[in-house]
Amino acid sequence: MVSQRPGGAGRSVVSSLCGVLAVVLLPVALVAFWASVLLTRTDVFVEELKPVVSTPQVQEALTDGIVDGVLGAVQLRPAVEQALEGPLRTQAATVVASPQVAAAWTSAIRAVHTQLLAVMEGRADTQLDADGRVAVRVAIPVPALTSTLERFGVTDAASLAPVVTIPLVRADDLRTAQQVYRFADAVGPWAPAAVAVLALLAVALARRRRAVAAAVGAGWVVLALGLALGVMVAREPLMRRVTPPVARTIADTAYGLAARNLYAEIGVAVGAGLVLLLLAGVSRVVGRRRASRPA
């Protein structure tokens, strides 16, 4: 009967525990790191979401928002309103592609992120919209439409500025959002490194290092791909909660842009898992060849 080295059983238990934690905590670490970068740093948030307003689908949605907002703010006969809609839509499409609207969007997301950080950190009261949400409000400057509106009998056309509202979080969910923010801010910056250290400890303390490395690698690949699938599947249900349609289009585009960095992190995790699997496989082959050599 072969006796186990003193401390061998303890090392195996610690190795197994570290391996399980390294795998199970990987999705949490990836999301926490992503959130700590994107959600807690205003400059990063603005740079990531600034391109939203330049995408074709958002510009089309903003055009609809301007047309609906202007026609809803003026009192015109149905025939005049119908005649106005065509030229108004054409000019609105030009307006939303202008630098002025891009600047208005950038200013709005910077202001709302600054406010959101203050709320998350408990430094300011929450400013909610009429539906009880923290939201981005983008006023669309439409001076280029003034002459067209005045031609159709709209008085004080220069004062019109349609507002598009994009909800970020409901007041009911604010406490949960604050807890997530604090967790991401505290844990996120070092979470991936902690997971990597756990994986190294699991391999270093294991009696069968190749098997443990392969198990951790396979776990990383599976859970990382599962996280990517979860991010993709969650997109549609989350967007269905956003109203009106203009805000939904903008929120959907922002979701896609904001998730790019998370997908990049997932790609790195999958790559690391594949490297572990490859190293374990190569080590296994080399070990077998050495064992088969004649003494």
Side-chain angles (χ1 to χ4, degrees):
M1 182 176 179
V2 179
S3 61
Q4 196 173 39
R5 289 180 300 173
R11 289 183 58 176
S12 296
V13 170
V14 174
S15 171
S16 299
L17 180 60
C18 289
V20 170
L21 289 176
V23 172
V24 172
L25 293 179
L26 176 69
V28 178
L30 293 177
V31 173
F33 182 77
W34 168 81
S36 71
V37 173
L38 182 67
L39 302 183
T40 67
R41 303 179 187 178
T42 299
D43 289 339
V44 175
F45 182 85
V46 171
E47 285 302 314
E48 286 295 315
L49 297 188
K50 189 162 60 174
V52 166
V53 78
S54 63
T55 59
Q57 62 269 31
V58 168
Q59 291 187 349
E60 182 179 350
L62 286 176
T63 299
D64 292 339
I66 289 176
V67 172
D68 294 343
V70 169
L71 293 180
V74 298
Q75 299 294 326
L76 297 172
R77 296 193 307 274
V80 176
E81 187 174 297
Q82 186 175 3
L84 172 62
E85 183 173 353
L88 180 62
R89 183 171 296 277
T90 300
Q91 290 196 356
T94 302
V95 167
V96 298
S98 68
Q100 289 82 1
V101 170
W105 167 256
T106 301
S107 298
I109 59 177
R110 181 176 294 278
V112 78
H113 191 263
T114 301
Q115 177 205 342
L116 192 60
L117 285 184
V119 171
M120 293 295 103
E121 295 170 2
R123 295 184 286 106
D125 294 330
T126 311
Q127 297 179 17
L128 304 176
D129 65 6
D131 295 318
R133 305 169 299 186
V134 178
V136 180
R137 289 173 55 84
V138 186
I140 309 296
V142 290
L145 308 182
T146 301
S147 59
T148 300
L149 293 171
E150 289 176 343
R151 203 156 28 92
F152 282 84
V154 177
T155 58
D156 202 19
S159 65
L160 293 176
V163 175
V164 176
T165 302
I166 304 100
L168 296 178
V169 59
R170 297 190 64 84
D172 296 343
D173 301 327
L174 197 55
R175 183 176 295 276
T176 300
Q178 287 174 326
Q179 293 172 347
V180 171
Y181 171 86
R182 289 169 186 148
F183 175 80
D185 190 36
V187 175
W190 53 266
V195 167
V197 169
L198 286 170
L200 290 174
L201 286 173
V203 174
L205 297 174
R207 297 177 60 195
R208 301 174 60 190
R209 292 179 178 175
R210 286 194 295 266
V212 171
V216 171
W220 279 0
V221 171
V222 170
L223 286 191
L225 292 177
L227 175 61
L229 180 62
V231 172
M232 289 186 285
V233 170
R235 184 171 183 168
E236 186 177 349
L238 288 173
M239 292 307 106
R240 282 202 298 264
R241 299 175 59 186
V242 180
T243 55
V246 174
R248 185 180 304 120
T249 300
I250 296 173
D252 184 62
T253 304
Y255 185 101
L257 290 174
R260 290 181 306 178
N261 285 344
L262 183 54
Y263 287 134
E265 292 175 23
I266 291 171
V268 172
V270 170
L274 292 175
V275 168
L276 282 177
L277 285 170
L278 179 62
L279 290 176
V282 170
S283 175
R284 186 182 183 88
V285 170
V286 170
R288 283 181 174 178
R289 286 183 178 178
R290 287 178 177 175
S292 64
R293 289 177 184 174

